[in-house]
């Protein structure tokens, strides 16, 4: 196969890599994008999109189940049934449409896409093992965007009934008893979905709290809803492995050893960077633990080699990878860019959902920016939330006491993930409490909670 020479080679077509490729193509940079799997990477194929599809289907099922029981709307209907195989086929259809969409966008940007496993030969050369042989690519600049994979516990290897998130998103039958190891993002998002679909779910979390990255005020409504759904949450509990017959998970806590009978065990104890597929040993990269160390321009320790996305560490979120990809494309095109983002929004798609942008109150207090003001507005006092039976939760604004600059905004509530756009904009634009408080928010919306939280921090709340 004839060698290819290009200005930019990107290894990995996940949200980091494909966004980098499209932007580079738009800017006229001669770009090659390579992936061993499908365009869209983890996020599109086995992550963000398929998990949100399953979560939505579970919400629909749960909603109809509630309507089939006694409800305040005067609606009567039969109890719903679900054929999870058909749900998974529908989810796969969405993934396929988006895979094709990414391929079309990459093509439109005049980027050449190669399918195969890329391995560094040296800092300017990569060999791609394709179905039809080895394709050598010489590139002036190379971006490593190889993403992440589920952490596998040595005493609980994936296989059989022990599954990762990828396996959970392809189940064609709802497991009767689902035990989940890890009460973080994936465990709780998927655990909530399967509980709504009818599984008896148990979550085993090693630390003393679920979602330990958020404060207890934010996670309490989630915990309450898990309880309502019949999910057993065992904090301070460690998984030890399957029992001899493989029918139960052995766990240990202060209360001693016990066995949890399980039809499936879903292990969601975090994700690790994929650094073993691309022959990185041929390079001299500086590392931050298992992650590739990068500076504020996503440059690695080797000139001309960048790294973006999950392979560079936390937060492992698709939109961070995309923003890094866009920045690196512009740098390669000769623009002056640096990572100057004020905040990266994070959403946990549990029920209720959690949104967090910027600093939590404790982090704000510890940030050395002086005294802090916090304003909280409960959805129980919001008309729109009442009409949606979504009163569980609140919006919270964290600001400097001296100049009222907003440092963080969080919320927990049903269906409030879309508020993340307003929260992110406020923090990124350096809004003060007055900017939010004096903006007319449409009525009746849950977004009014943001305005009221800002008013509350100013001591001027109207509706509480
Ligand atoms: P990835 O998406 O992992 O893509 C890396 C790509 O590199 C892969 O396609 C892989 O095939 C390819 N590759 C690796 N090695 C090679 C090689 N040597 N040669 C060629 N190709 C290679 N994030 C959110 O922001 N919101 C969510 O709601 C969300 N939900 C999630 C739900 C689940 C179940 C999971 C697992 C993750 C979720 N995430 C979510 C995280 C999100 O998927 C990742 O942050 C995101 O995919 C990272 O993008 P990336 O480009 O760094 O890497
Ligand atoms: P996580 O880091 O969110 O949660 C892992 C949990 O497992 C932690 O609470 C940890 O204390 C616990 N744990 C670790 N070892 C354990 C053990 N031996 N026994 C019991 N508990 C143990 O990781 P995740 O849920 O696997 O998700 C990985 C990453 O994927 C997230 O950090 C996030 O970046 C990304 N993600 C994001 C979204 C989203 O944005 N909505 C959704 C899913 C995944």
């Amino acid at each position: 196969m004839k060698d290819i020479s290009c200005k930019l080679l990107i290894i990995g077509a996940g949200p980091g890599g494909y966004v980098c490729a499209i932007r580079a193509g738009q800017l006229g940079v001669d770009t090659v994008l390579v992936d061993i799997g499908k365009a869209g990477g983890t996020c599109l194929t086995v992550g963000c999109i398929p998990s949100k599809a399953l979560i939505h289907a579970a919400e629909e099922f749960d909603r109809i189940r509630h309507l089939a029981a006694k409800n305040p709307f005067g609606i009567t209907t039969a109890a719903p049934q679900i054929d999870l195989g058909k749900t998974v086929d529908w989810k796969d259809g969405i993934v396929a449409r988006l895979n094709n969409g990414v391929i079309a966008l990459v093509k439109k940007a005049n980027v050449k896409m190669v399918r195969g496993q890329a391995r560094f030969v040296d800092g300017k050369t990569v060999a791609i093992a394709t179905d039809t042989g080895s394709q050598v690519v010489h590139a002036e600049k190379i971006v490593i965007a190889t993403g992440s994979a589920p952490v596998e516990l040595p005493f609980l290897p994936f296989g059989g009934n022990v599954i990762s998130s990828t396996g959970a998103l392809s189940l064609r039958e709802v497991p009767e008893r689902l035990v989940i190891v890890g009460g973080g993002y994936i465990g709780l998002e998927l655990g909530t979905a399967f509980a709504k679909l009818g599984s008896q779910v148990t979550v085993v979390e090693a630390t003393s709290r679920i979602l330990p990255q958020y404060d207890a005020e934010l996670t309490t409504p989630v915990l309450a809803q898990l309880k309502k759904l019949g999910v057993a949450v065992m904090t301070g509990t460690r998984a030890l492995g399957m029992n001899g017959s493989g029918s139960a998970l052995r766990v240990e806590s202060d209360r001693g050893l016990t066995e949890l009978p399980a039809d499936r065990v879903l292990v969601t104890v975090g994700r690790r960077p994929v650094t073993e597929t691309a022959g990185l040993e041929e390079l001299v990269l500086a590392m931050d633990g298992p992650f590739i160390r990068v500076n504020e321009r996503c440059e690695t320790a080797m000139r001309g080699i960048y790294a973006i996305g999950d392979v560079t560490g936390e937060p492992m979120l698709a939109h961070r990878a995309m923003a890094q990809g866009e920045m690196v494309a512009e740098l390669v095109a000769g623009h002056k860019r640096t990572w100057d983002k004020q905040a990266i929004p994070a959403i946990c798609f549990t029920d209720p959902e959690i949104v967090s942008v910027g600093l939590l109150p404790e982090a704000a207090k510890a940030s050395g920016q002086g005294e802090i003001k916090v304003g909280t507005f409960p959805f129980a006092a919001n008309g729109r939330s009442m009409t949606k039976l979504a009163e569980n939760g609140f919006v919270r604004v964290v600001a400097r006491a001296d100049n009222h600059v907003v440092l963080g905004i969080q919320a927990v509530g049903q269906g409030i993930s879309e508020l993340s756009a307003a929260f992110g904009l406020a923090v990124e634009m350096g809004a003060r409490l007055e900017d939010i408080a004096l903006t007319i928010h449409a009525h009746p919306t849950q977004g009014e909670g943001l305005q009221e939280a800002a008013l509350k921090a100013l001591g001027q709340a109207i509706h509480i």
Side-chain angles (χ1 to χ4, degrees):
M1 228 180 269
K2 219 172 136 218
D3 290 7
I4 299 174
S5 291
C6 61
K7 169 122 186 192
L8 174 63
L9 171 69
I10 301 161
I11 304 175
Y18 87 73
V19 168
C20 186
I22 291 171
R23 187 74 188 117
Q26 287 170 344
L27 293 168
V29 177
D30 175 22
T31 303
V32 174
L33 174 65
V34 53
D35 202 297
I36 193 174
K38 289 193 173 160
T42 303
C43 175
L44 204 159
T45 317
V46 292
C48 327
I49 298 296
S51 63
K52 270 74 239 180
L54 183 76
I55 288 166
H56 180 70
E59 280 169 358
E60 293 294 278
F61 184 75
D62 190 52
R63 191 169 299 146
I64 299 168
R65 201 171 48 181
H66 276 98
L67 292 177
K70 204 170 152 215
N71 65 74
F73 310 119
I75 297 174
T76 48
T77 185
Q81 304 289 320
I82 187 154
D83 176 342
L84 192 61
K86 285 190 178 154
T87 311
V88 166
D89 291 343
W90 163 74
K91 175 267 290 180
D92 289 343
I94 293 174
V95 169
R97 261 170 62 199
L98 287 170
N99 281 146
N100 290 333
V102 170
I103 291 168
L105 289 170
V106 166
K107 205 170 164 194
K108 190 173 141 211
N110 291 320
V111 171
K112 181 175 174 56
M113 196 159 174
V114 180
R115 185 145 187 194
Q117 180 170 356
R119 291 191 78 82
F120 278 94
V121 176
D122 58 42
K124 298 265 179 222
T125 317
V126 164
I128 305 172
T130 73
D131 285 347
T132 49
S134 179
Q135 170 70 70
V136 174
V137 180
H138 306 280
E140 280 175 42
K141 313 271 178 188
I142 301 177
V143 176
I144 304 167
T146 48
S148 66
V151 167
E152 186 166 24
L153 295 172
F155 49 86
L156 208 52
F158 295 126
N161 287 338
V162 180
I163 56 176
S164 67
S165 53
T166 301
L169 291 167
S170 299
L171 289 176
R172 300 192 72 83
E173 277 176 21
V174 178
E176 211 168 294
R177 295 161 307 177
L178 175 66
V179 176
I180 299 176
V181 182
Y185 274 88
I186 301 179
L188 294 183
E189 287 188 3
L190 296 185
T192 303
F194 278 104
K196 288 182 174 177
L197 292 172
S199 293
Q200 175 57 56
V201 176
T202 305
V203 176
V204 174
E205 165 58 45
T207 67
S208 59
R209 295 188 26 233
I210 56 161
L211 293 170
Q213 60 272 58
Y214 298 120
D215 54 65
E217 204 180 3
L218 284 170
T219 55
T220 299
V222 175
L223 202 55
Q225 180 66 5
L226 287 170
K227 225 178 185 176
K228 260 195 184 163
L229 287 168
V231 175
V233 178
M234 301 174 68
T235 50
T237 307
R238 292 198 148 270
L240 299 176
M242 298 304 286
N243 66 358
S245 63
S247 61
L249 178 74
R250 293 186 303 114
V251 299
E252 184 182 32
S253 71
D254 287 353
R255 299 173 295 282
L257 289 170
T258 181
E259 289 196 357
L260 303 172
D263 300 301
R264 300 280 183 174
V265 175
L266 168 59
V267 181
T268 56
V269 293
R271 293 180 61 82
R272 60 165 183 85
V274 172
T275 48
E276 72 283 5
T277 59
L280 299 188
E281 57 281 1
E282 300 302 327
L283 309 177
V284 189
L285 298 176
M287 304 299 283
D288 271 332
F291 299 102
I292 298 175
R293 180 180 299 170
V294 290
N295 64 13
E296 68 288 351
R297 286 183 296 280
C298 286
E299 292 162 332
T300 67
M302 268 183 89
R303 185 185 276 256
I305 298 186
Y306 298 82
I308 57 174
D310 285 8
V311 77
T312 63
E314 298 280 359
M316 288 194 259
L317 297 172
H319 39 281
R320 168 177 172 266
M322 291 182 188
Q324 288 179 324
E326 192 212 3
M327 177 184 76
V328 167
E330 297 196 353
L331 283 166
V332 171
H335 297 197
K336 282 209 159 54
R337 285 291 307 268
T338 187
W339 187 259
D340 56 0
K341 309 292 179 198
Q342 294 303 303
I344 303 170
I347 303 172
C348 192
F349 292 84
T350 39
D351 177 14
E353 295 170 340
I354 298 177
V355 176
S356 179
V357 178
L359 299 179
L360 297 169
E362 283 311 311
K365 276 180 208 156
S367 68
Q369 300 188 71
E371 216 184 304
I372 298 301
K373 271 181 184 289
V374 177
T376 302
F377 184 81
F379 286 124
N382 173 268
R384 178 69 170 143
S385 301
M386 285 183 207
T387 65
K388 293 169 77 179
L389 294 184
E391 294 173 44
N392 186 14
F394 58 85
V395 183
R396 185 175 69 191
V397 176
V398 183
R400 285 174 64 131
D402 56 356
N403 58 12
H404 296 179
V405 167
V406 176
L407 301 176
I409 310 177
Q410 297 87 38
V412 54
Q414 199 186 305
I416 47 96
S417 45
E418 295 298 331
L419 292 185
S420 65
F423 296 0
L425 194 63
V427 174
E428 198 62 41
M429 299 288 286
R432 292 168 196 254
L433 289 171
E434 289 79 356
D435 294 318
I436 299 174
L438 295 173
T439 298
I440 295 178
H441 285 65
H443 179 74
T445 62
Q446 287 180 293
E448 288 173 279
L450 172 60
Q451 184 182 19
E452 287 281 359
L455 284 165
K456 180 81 192 311
L458 292 168
Q460 299 166 17
I462 302 289
H463 290 96
I464 40 168

